[in-house]
Amino acid sequence: MALINKSDIEKLINVQSNNQNALCLSFYLPTHRAGQQTLNGADSISFKNQVKKAKELLERHDVPEAEIAQYLKPAEDLLHDNNFWRHQGEGLALFITKGYAAHFTLPITLPNEVYVLDQFYFTPILPLLSQNGRFFILNLYREKVAFYEATIDRIRPIDISSFVPESFNQALRFDIKGNDQDFTNSTTTVNGSNIVHGAGSTKGDEEHARVREFMLEIDNSLQQILHNATEPLVLAGVDHYCSIYRNISKYRHIVAQNINVNEGVDDMNVLHEKALTVVKPLLQQGHNDSMARYQNVAGTGATSEDIATVAAEAVHGRVDTLFIAPGQPVWGSYNAASATAEVHDEYQRGDDDLINMAAIKTMAQGGKVFVASNNGTQENATTGGRANVKALFRY
């Protein structure tokens, strides 16, 4: 189950840049984890209709039939993969261009749309990539080591069983199940011989070293997912375990307050609810601080709400912080010769959604992006369905 992060977006941008004569297909589909829609194949049926629509869009671009088949082969392969459709989240994103395809199952509901453009279309997933979009939970409960991806509204488990033992018992071979705070006897296998450690040994240096070694193994393994992420990570478990992990972890975005979870509490919805009490104020504070900076200089030339201006300045690397209120695409183009962007009333060949352009360019150059309606961070209401933007410039 692939997560999506900024490095994936950077890779997709590099692919499209190195393949300038090719079209880019972006599929977005609302999906279901379980239930009748999964059993009756509703998601795959919806995707089949999307593939048909993509074919029609490619035909409008005068793409030859043989080339259309080449474009759509990765989508056709997924369409006929029954196992794939039994393991979905709330949304599916698929990106295809000549010689490349990537798909991601996501914890947010997506529109049912297909885009065939000269560049990939990322606007529907901006809520996940924004500063206030997503966080992670690592459950260090002794009976179950688990990792979750979450938003304000959703949580989903991420399967880490291929590289992390499922429990402390499995990893450290605890024989007697006690309380997480005070378990008793344990067995270590050394050169084929079992060594039994008596009561209280978990409080000693030897047991602490074994737990610390296991925590290092977890952290090193999770770098496959978190290596360049910046989202908050909430630790769940007893304070002792969380403290050890916090001290050894290479991840620099661990939330200071952990969730103290007693033995037997491993329901992910309970974890989600508890994590929200810790994370939501932090995300809200980050948004409020950035908005205060914007308002302090609004009207001085250091800000703009004009999308053409914002998109052009984002290309130039001038946008420090961008606030977006979702709406319909704002089609337009950037003119490198004049260093300006212009808005078009209707889509024209070669256009990009200027919201898409502004956000991706801002993120790529180290700026912050906040998406309204995430975590209760509301901006002005959209006008006529068009997305609104506010940008704070660097200089």
Side-chain angles (χ1 to χ4, degrees):
M1 187 177 289
L3 301 178
I4 191 168
N5 54 43
K6 294 176 185 177
S7 65
D8 296 308
I9 301 302
E10 291 169 0
K11 183 174 182 178
L12 287 164
I13 292 172
N14 288 334
V15 168
Q16 74 183 28
S17 297
N18 295 328
N19 209 355
Q20 293 184 357
N21 294 324
L23 290 165
C24 297
L25 286 65
S26 304
F27 295 78
Y28 291 101
L29 183 72
T31 53
H32 304 83
R33 292 180 186 272
Q36 192 62 36
Q37 292 91 341
T38 300
L39 294 175
N40 64 19
D43 292 343
S44 61
I45 292 172
S46 296
F47 186 66
K48 183 177 181 178
N49 292 331
Q50 284 197 345
V51 174
K52 180 180 178 181
K53 181 180 178 180
K55 183 176 185 295
E56 294 171 353
L57 292 172
L58 287 166
E59 289 172 346
R60 292 182 197 174
H61 283 82
D62 300 321
V63 178
E65 186 172 344
E67 201 169 328
I68 290 176
Q70 181 184 4
Y71 270 115
L72 294 179
K73 186 178 186 306
E76 294 282 0
D77 290 344
L78 285 183
L79 180 60
H80 298 104
D81 185 346
N82 292 330
N83 186 59
F84 173 78
W85 294 106
R86 287 194 291 267
H87 299 86
Q88 292 302 307
E90 279 67 39
L92 170 67
L94 169 64
F95 304 98
I96 299 174
T97 189
K98 283 186 177 178
Y100 183 84
H103 67 268
F104 303 89
T105 57
L106 304 174
I108 59 173
T109 301
L110 296 170
N112 192 333
E113 294 287 352
V114 181
Y115 300 89
V116 176
L117 306 169
D118 288 340
Q119 58 283 314
F120 290 118
Y121 186 70
F122 301 118
T123 304
I125 57 174
L126 289 180
L128 270 185
L129 302 172
S130 66
Q131 292 291 119
N132 56 330
R134 172 172 59 179
F135 62 96
F136 301 115
I137 303 170
L138 176 60
N139 186 11
L140 295 172
Y141 170 50
R142 195 183 74 181
E143 296 295 328
K144 182 179 181 181
V145 177
F147 184 70
Y148 302 92
E149 178 185 28
T151 65
I152 288 299
D153 302 315
R154 307 282 187 177
I155 182 173
R156 66 161 180 165
I158 302 300
D159 185 6
I160 58 174
S161 60
S162 63
F163 51 87
V164 174
E166 292 184 357
S167 70
F168 280 45
N169 285 341
Q170 179 180 338
L172 303 181
R173 306 182 71 118
F174 294 125
D175 290 337
I176 307 299
K177 294 183 180 180
N179 187 287
D180 243 342
Q181 300 276 16
D182 188 27
F183 44 90
T184 54
N185 297 334
S186 62
T187 304
T188 303
T189 301
V190 179
N191 295 328
S193 300
N194 290 333
I195 302 174
V196 178
H197 306 273
S201 65
T202 58
K203 297 182 183 296
D205 293 338
E206 178 183 349
E207 191 59 57
H208 178 84
R210 292 173 62 216
V211 172
R212 186 178 185 278
E213 183 178 350
F214 178 49
M215 295 291 190
L216 277 170
E217 180 182 351
I218 295 174
D219 190 61
N220 289 334
S221 298
L222 283 184
Q223 292 308 307
Q224 298 179 42
I225 296 175
L226 296 174
H227 58 96
N228 61 354
T230 58
E231 290 88 346
L233 171 63
V234 181
L235 301 181
V238 298
D239 291 339
H240 174 63
Y241 289 165
C242 293
S243 177
I244 294 175
Y245 187 86
R246 190 186 309 278
N247 289 333
I248 61 92
S249 177
K250 294 182 284 295
Y251 193 64
R252 294 295 172 250
H253 305 281
I254 299 177
V255 175
Q257 181 182 350
N258 57 269
I259 305 169
N260 192 291
V261 181
N262 296 323
E263 184 171 356
V265 179
D266 63 352
D267 183 284
M268 71 176 182
N269 294 316
V270 173
L271 288 174
H272 187 225
E273 183 179 349
K274 289 178 176 291
L276 285 178
T277 63
V278 174
V279 171
K280 196 170 183 178
L282 297 177
L283 297 178
Q284 186 69 55
Q285 188 61 49
H287 172 271
N288 291 345
D289 291 347
S290 294
M291 180 54 71
R293 290 178 57 221
Y294 174 92
Q295 292 172 338
N296 286 339
V297 295
T300 66
T303 66
S304 178
E305 296 183 16
D306 177 70
I307 182 55
T309 300
V310 171
E313 298 296 1
V315 172
H316 304 157
R318 283 197 61 207
V319 176
D320 175 87
T321 306
L322 183 67
F323 302 91
I324 301 171
Q328 297 299 315
V330 182
W331 299 115
S333 61
Y334 174 76
N335 188 316
S338 63
T340 60
E342 63 177 23
V343 176
H344 300 150
D345 291 334
E346 296 181 354
Y347 171 77
Q348 300 177 18
R349 178 67 191 272
D351 275 0
D352 194 359
D353 176 7
L354 296 184
I355 299 295
N356 180 66
M357 178 187 295
I360 296 304
K361 292 294 184 181
T362 298
M363 291 178 184
Q365 298 177 81
K368 298 178 181 179
V369 176
F370 291 92
V371 178
S373 299
N374 270 348
N375 310 334
T377 57
Q378 293 285 349
E379 311 304 338
N380 291 340
T382 58
T383 303
R386 175 171 285 187
N388 285 348
V389 297
K390 293 184 176 78
L392 171 64
F393 300 138
R394 286 194 167 103
Y395 49 86

